[in-house]
Amino acid sequence: MKETQNKSKTLVKTACVIGLFVFIAFLGLLVWAFISSISGPVKEQNPFDMSSFNENLKTFDLLFAQTLEEGFNPDTGLFEALLASLEKAASGAEEHLSPLKRRRMLAKAFPSFIPDYFFAAERSFRRFPHSAPLAAIAGEALVLYAASDTRGSGKNVINPDSRQKLMNYAQILSQAGVLSEKSFLPLAFSFYVLSDSLSDIPSALRINRIDDLFSFTTRILLQKTGAASAVTEGLSIDLSLLKILDNKAEEANAYLIPFNPGTAFSRKSSDFFANYEYDFGNLLLAAQIWTESGKEEDLARAADALYLANMPENARQLWSILTEDRRTPTAGDQQVDERFDYDFDEPFNESFIDSFYENDEPLPNKGSRNQTVIKASEKIRFQSFYNLASSATRTADKRAPLENILAEAGDSDKEIVLYSIILYTRMLEDQKARLVLKENPLTEKTMLLDLELFRRSLTDMPLERSIADTWLVLDRHNDDERLYQWAAWYFDYERRFNETDFLVKLAEKREIIGEWLPFNKGIFYMRAGDYASAAKIFESSMRKSENKKPSSSGDLWTFPANLGLIREAEHNFSAALDNFTQAVRELQNQDSGIAFDKKKSNEKAARLQLKIARCFGVLGRKGEAREAILKAAELDGSNINVRIVLDRL
């Protein structure tokens, strides 16, 4: 979430499989209900001997009851003769249900009859391939046959051919369920599960009306059991994940309503709901859910959410509590400290935190469930100390938390120690800070400290030397993508574009991956005059970024903006107008959280508005061009180009 976005490249293992055997049992009940409700008296107009047909049914039923009552071994030949006669006499799909019902009774009572039931069901379905009741029976017979045919492996045999048949039955039942009989939907869902159609996201998304299958199956199970269960919970969560991965995150919320703070019946569901709100919805609601949990790891997540929601003081209060000595809540301990009872409607406060190589930012809580080097409580405690320091506005408030980390953490949590050293040295006078970094044995071995020392030396280093030393730092840490990103920014900042171009080629050769790479590669092609290749890269990056949260990808606007420059150079002003407008929209969609600089965003938007005004002007839309210029002046009246154009109006 942030987890939900990192998982999109991996196959989601649906929780439907948890309820696999529940569905098989449930499937049998549904089939029995279908047969019982449909296989009543046969209509008189059917073209066969009704009296003979009914007599054979009665004969079978009496013989079957007698066999069960007296415990005899069934007379296979007699039963088969009666059933074959019934099957031969049946002319319509409904008539075939009666002998199949009897075959099912035999198969359930005497497993040796399961193969006959399976083959008879297949024969009937082949005669009437669009019959939903026969598809239901054929599917159940196939599952029973596969379950009984282990072939010495000890495992059920549902081979590829059988899976394809189950998918076909599921499609027929799904269509019938959507159009008329909704009770077919859970059965269709069961067949999709058993055919492995839900084993990966692309396959699941190709299923018609997959949301109806999930939601109605969940409702049926709730009605049958009278309460939520791990299966219904898993179904709702899986459907939400499908919606998110299908770029429909806003629709996922409808399926998570039963798991809101007031009705969540399990830890898993409430935690998933909180993560959903954290990634796509309401940060304050996520913070509330995690705070009510009272567990350390959840309180740390709640503090993160509060900070991102522009409530730094509330976040700092939680971090302060997490740095104290405290007992670890036991399972089932739902009591919440009164200090966690916040007014979540408090007005926002504003401040700005820049990127890791320009300023300081609180470390996000990455969770401690998989932490093996350091105990969870200590991990969270040191992160909370660091976050208190990095979010403090006064130097005096930064020092004590950092000193606690450096005194207690040692080598047990390397990441926090490294960030703490960097933040601590930034409070020192420049020469003293350099000395501390030079004397630290970790500096040359660790990219972050090495880069911090190098950046400090840039202030009194000749440009040519700084370019050369940048390559030396890159050579010492040649597998760290963050360093390549910083170097690309630095070379461009110093307008050493040849160095940037070479860095991009080197990163590709070394298989360095990062969001900065396609942008710089596109710029490389633009400088070379290969606009077609540059446009292809920008368009591809725009498609890949469609489902990204704006606040986590603050530079998304650069792709349509540069694509607009290309279209403008090609004199395709209509396309350029669309691209520049999209770039403005991307800027506007960025979250106004703490890590968001409104002034810088307005400056960028003003430059784009000038481009929009020019496109309007060339297209002869003078009134709209004037509005764009006035908008640019409103956004950044100090921009000299805006003022020049404004004076011409």
Side-chain angles (χ1 to χ4, degrees):
M1 281 174 167
K2 306 281 173 195
E3 301 172 5
T4 307
Q5 295 173 339
N6 291 330
K7 293 176 182 173
S8 60
K9 292 184 179 180
T10 62
L11 299 179
V12 176
K13 185 178 181 181
T14 62
C16 315
V17 180
I18 299 174
L20 182 60
F21 294 105
V22 176
F23 282 133
I24 294 176
F26 183 52
L27 180 154
L29 292 175
L30 286 173
V31 172
W32 180 264
F34 292 144
I35 298 174
S36 299
S37 62
I38 295 174
S39 59
V42 183
K43 298 178 182 179
E44 293 185 1
Q45 65 266 29
N46 288 331
F48 61 85
D49 187 348
M50 275 293 302
S51 60
S52 175
F53 188 81
N54 288 333
E55 282 300 321
N56 284 338
L57 288 178
K58 290 178 181 179
T59 301
F60 175 94
D61 292 342
L62 289 172
L63 182 62
F64 180 73
Q66 183 181 7
T67 302
L68 289 180
E69 183 179 348
E70 299 182 4
F72 294 157
N73 288 325
D75 187 335
T76 304
L78 181 56
F79 276 124
E80 183 57 37
L82 285 170
L83 291 169
S85 174
L86 287 168
E87 184 179 337
K88 184 177 180 181
S91 61
E94 290 188 8
E95 286 78 37
H96 275 262
L97 294 175
S98 293
L100 285 174
K101 177 180 178 180
R102 271 72 182 177
R103 286 191 181 277
R104 185 176 187 275
M105 291 162 55
L106 268 176
K108 290 287 188 178
F110 306 103
S112 60
F113 284 89
I114 289 178
D116 294 328
Y117 174 42
F118 165 65
F119 292 119
E122 280 208 327
R123 286 195 300 271
S124 296
F125 179 75
R126 283 197 296 269
R127 289 189 63 184
F128 304 97
H130 301 294
S131 169
L134 288 178
I137 295 170
E140 191 224 19
L142 188 155
V143 173
L144 285 176
Y145 181 61
S148 66
D149 182 15
T150 59
R151 300 182 186 177
S153 67
K155 296 182 179 179
N156 294 345
V157 178
I158 299 183
N159 56 39
D161 181 58
S162 297
R163 285 195 290 269
Q164 186 59 48
K165 289 178 180 178
L166 282 174
M167 287 178 60
N168 184 35
Y169 299 148
Q171 290 168 0
I172 293 171
L173 291 170
S174 177
Q175 184 176 12
V178 170
L179 294 177
S180 57
E181 185 54 62
K182 292 209 176 283
S183 56
F184 280 120
L185 292 177
L187 203 57
F189 185 83
S190 300
F191 289 165
Y192 277 127
V193 171
L194 295 171
S195 66
D196 283 341
S197 300
L198 303 180
S199 60
D200 62 85
I201 292 300
S203 298
L205 291 177
R206 285 195 293 269
I207 295 175
N208 186 37
R209 305 294 290 269
I210 184 66
D211 49 349
D212 285 338
L213 289 172
F214 267 97
S215 57
F216 193 79
T217 301
T218 302
R219 287 199 298 271
I220 288 291
L221 288 173
L222 285 171
Q223 291 170 5
K224 293 289 184 182
T225 61
S229 65
V231 176
T232 55
E233 175 187 23
L235 288 173
S236 296
I237 289 177
D238 283 344
L239 179 54
S240 301
L241 286 172
L242 281 175
K243 289 294 183 182
I244 291 169
L245 294 171
D246 195 26
N247 298 333
K248 297 176 181 177
E250 68 284 352
E251 295 181 18
N253 188 52
Y255 303 100
L256 294 174
I257 290 175
F259 303 137
N260 64 35
T263 61
F265 74 92
S266 76
R267 159 79 180 170
K268 179 182 177 182
S269 60
S270 59
D271 188 60
F272 184 87
F273 184 79
N275 276 288
Y276 171 83
E277 293 296 341
Y278 184 90
D279 285 337
F280 301 104
N282 187 333
L283 287 167
L284 296 183
L285 181 54
Q288 181 180 353
I289 296 170
W290 281 321
T291 301
E292 289 173 352
S293 158
K295 300 191 177 196
E296 285 182 346
E297 59 191 49
D298 290 339
L299 295 177
R301 298 292 317 267
D304 294 344
L306 289 170
Y307 187 83
L308 293 174
N310 255 346
M311 300 179 72
E313 292 308 313
N314 283 357
R316 285 178 59 80
Q317 186 178 355
L318 269 182
W319 287 325
S320 295
I321 293 169
L322 290 169
T323 61
E324 299 172 0
D325 290 332
R326 59 205 176 279
R327 68 180 179 87
T328 302
T330 58
D333 183 0
Q334 300 298 321
Q335 291 188 349
V336 180
D337 194 307
E338 63 182 5
R339 294 172 295 181
F340 305 151
D341 187 14
Y342 292 120
D343 176 8
F344 287 94
D345 294 324
E346 176 185 319
F348 289 170
N349 297 317
E350 293 187 0
S351 62
F352 174 68
I353 305 294
D354 209 337
S355 60
F356 79 95
Y357 50 77
E358 293 184 7
N359 229 311
D360 316 309
E361 184 173 358
L363 288 173
N365 175 55
K366 297 180 179 178
S368 52
R369 294 170 184 169
N370 298 324
Q371 182 59 236
T372 57
V373 178
I374 186 172
K375 289 192 297 185
S377 59
E378 292 178 348
K379 173 79 173 178
I380 293 172
R381 184 166 178 257
F382 292 142
Q383 283 185 338
S384 300
F385 270 131
Y386 179 86
N387 291 340
L388 280 173
S390 61
S391 62
T393 56
R394 298 187 306 168
T395 301
D397 294 331
K398 293 177 181 286
R399 189 180 300 274
L402 293 174
E403 289 176 346
N404 273 297
I405 295 173
L406 298 176
E408 298 180 31
D411 294 330
S412 61
D413 196 318
K414 185 177 179 181
E415 182 185 41
I416 293 178
V417 170
L418 293 177
Y419 276 97
S420 299
I421 292 172
I422 292 172
L423 188 54
Y424 190 80
T425 57
R426 289 180 181 179
M427 296 188 299
L428 304 176
E429 184 268 336
D430 183 62
Q431 292 302 319
K432 187 174 182 180
R434 292 193 200 189
L435 182 62
V436 170
L437 291 168
K438 285 179 181 178
E439 292 179 349
N440 194 307
L442 293 175
T443 297
E444 282 201 8
K445 301 176 184 178
T446 308
M447 186 280 291
L448 290 175
L449 295 183
D450 201 0
L451 179 60
E452 182 71 13
L453 178 59
F454 177 63
R455 288 178 61 253
R456 286 185 174 277
S457 65
L458 291 176
T459 57
D460 51 15
M461 185 184 293
L463 180 58
E464 294 302 325
R465 169 76 182 278
S466 69
I467 298 297
D469 281 8
T470 300
W471 286 108
L472 291 176
V473 177
L474 280 164
D475 189 57
R476 287 198 291 272
H477 313 282
N478 57 24
D479 60 348
D480 197 312
E481 184 267 332
R482 295 171 298 177
L483 183 57
Y484 285 81
Q485 182 178 4
W486 180 86
W489 168 83
Y490 178 65
F491 290 148
D492 275 0
Y493 176 79
E494 297 293 354
R495 305 191 70 77
R496 292 302 185 95
F497 301 126
N498 289 338
E499 305 288 344
T500 307
D501 296 343
F502 184 78
L503 178 69
V504 169
K505 294 177 182 177
L506 182 63
E508 287 190 308
K509 182 179 179 181
R510 292 178 174 174
E511 297 183 346
I512 300 296
I513 299 173
E515 292 184 359
W516 63 276
L517 190 57
F519 169 76
N520 282 278
K521 191 175 180 181
I523 297 298
F524 164 76
Y525 283 124
M526 286 181 68
R527 285 197 287 261
D530 187 353
Y531 293 136
S533 296
K536 187 176 180 180
I537 288 176
F538 292 140
E539 288 171 344
S540 174
S541 298
M542 287 164 62
R543 285 193 298 271
K544 291 177 181 178
S545 64
E546 284 178 355
N547 197 40
K548 289 186 178 179
K549 193 177 179 183
S551 61
S552 66
S553 307
D555 291 331
L556 292 181
W557 70 276
T558 60
F559 294 116
N562 283 291
L563 189 57
L565 292 177
I566 292 173
R567 300 309 179 208
E568 187 181 32
E570 296 171 343
H571 297 280
N572 187 349
F573 293 100
S574 179
L577 176 61
D578 292 339
N579 294 138
F580 291 135
T581 303
Q582 182 179 353
V584 172
R585 189 163 55 249
E586 292 287 356
L587 279 171
Q588 292 173 339
N589 286 340
Q590 290 180 11
D591 289 355
S592 55
I594 288 181
F596 176 75
D597 189 339
K598 185 68 173 177
K599 183 174 182 297
K600 287 186 178 180
S601 178
N602 285 344
E603 290 171 354
K604 297 168 186 174
R607 291 164 53 198
L608 289 168
Q609 288 293 345
L610 286 182
K611 287 292 186 182
I612 290 173
R614 181 170 186 269
C615 291
F616 276 136
V618 173
L619 294 171
R621 297 159 66 175
K622 304 300 183 183
E624 291 166 292
R626 178 185 178 86
E627 290 178 8
I629 294 171
L630 293 175
K631 182 63 177 178
E634 178 185 334
L635 291 166
D636 184 17
S638 62
N639 185 312
I640 186 64
N641 291 322
V642 173
R643 294 172 65 180
I644 290 172
V645 175
L646 192 62
D647 289 341
R648 293 175 182 170
L649 292 178

